[in-house]
């Protein structure tokens, strides 16, 4: 099962807040791996795009200067692979930076399943408050007297 985080913003009110919720899957992003800068632009993550370009440029420049041309390709591949794993975390960071709030974490094999679970829970009536059973008194765990176990432990020296 995939895990999705759900983000809502305070500038929306009522049902519109739920309709505009953003779902971010917690997994490797194949499109961010292949098309990093375009993926960042499509999600409006301009600060992260600038950091991406600076880090990749510096790492590739250092790899060419110190390790040679062949190693620069390997360093670039490793950095893009790392970015594919961290892209969704960076998206969550960017959402939080823009004022979005994490409101739920849902599981679902596909996006539609996670979305359905979130909206079912969000718009479901609250459960009735539970009342304690008067037959069983409330006590901290382990304070209830246990009946003696016959035959296993003698009651004392004889």
């Amino acid at each position: 099962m995939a895990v999705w985080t759900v983000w809502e913003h305070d500038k929306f009110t009522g049902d519109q807040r739920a309709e505009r919720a953003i779902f971010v899957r917690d997994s490797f992003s194949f499109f961010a791996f292949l098309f990093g800068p375009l993926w960042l632009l499509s999600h409006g993550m301009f600060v992260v795009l600038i950091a991406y370009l600076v880090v990749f440029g510096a790492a590739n420049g250092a790899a060419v200067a110190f390790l040679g041309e062949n190693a620069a390709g390997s360093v670039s591949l490793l950095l893009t692979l790392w970015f594919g794993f961290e892209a969704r975390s960076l998206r969550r960071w960017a959402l939080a930076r823009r004022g979005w709030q994490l409101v739920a974490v849902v599981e679902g094999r596909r996006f539609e399943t996670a979305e359905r679970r979130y909206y079912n829970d969000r718009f479901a009536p609250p459960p009735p408050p539970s009342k304690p059973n008067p037959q069983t008194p409330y006590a901290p765990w382990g304070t209830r007297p246990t009946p003696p176990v016959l035959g296993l432990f003698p009651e004392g020296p004889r």
Side-chain angles (χ1 to χ4, degrees):
M1 287 266 192
V3 176
W4 302 76
T5 56
V6 185
W7 297 80
E8 291 181 356
H9 202 285
D10 285 338
K11 67 182 176 184
F12 306 114
T13 59
D15 290 343
Q16 187 181 23
R17 183 175 168 149
E19 290 172 6
R20 302 232 181 192
I22 295 177
F23 290 75
V24 180
R25 186 174 180 174
D26 189 25
S27 67
F28 179 79
S29 176
F30 189 71
F31 290 114
F33 169 68
L34 289 180
F35 312 109
L38 295 176
W39 186 87
L40 289 169
L41 282 174
S42 70
H43 292 292
M45 300 168 58
F46 302 111
V47 172
V48 180
L49 175 64
I50 292 168
Y52 176 93
L53 294 175
V54 167
V55 168
F56 275 67
N60 285 332
V64 168
F66 296 113
L67 302 174
E69 292 286 333
N70 294 336
S74 299
V75 167
S76 180
L77 178 65
L78 288 174
L79 281 174
T80 55
L81 183 65
W82 170 81
F83 183 71
F85 280 110
E86 292 299 321
R88 306 257 170 106
S89 295
L90 290 169
R91 183 166 185 217
R92 286 189 288 273
W93 174 80
L95 287 171
R97 193 176 146 266
R98 285 188 235 140
W100 291 80
Q101 297 171 351
L102 176 67
V103 293
V105 177
V106 292
E107 284 183 326
R109 189 175 300 269
R110 296 177 31 216
F111 171 72
E112 293 81 12
T113 308
E115 187 179 37
R116 187 178 322 114
R117 284 183 179 174
Y118 169 68
Y119 288 122
N120 284 343
D121 288 346
R122 190 176 195 288
F123 294 116
S130 62
K131 296 181 181 176
N133 186 355
Q135 301 293 331
T136 56
Y138 276 80
W141 182 78
T143 58
R144 234 171 137 173
T146 57
V149 181
L150 299 177
L152 293 178
F153 304 102
E155 291 185 21
R158 293 190 185 215

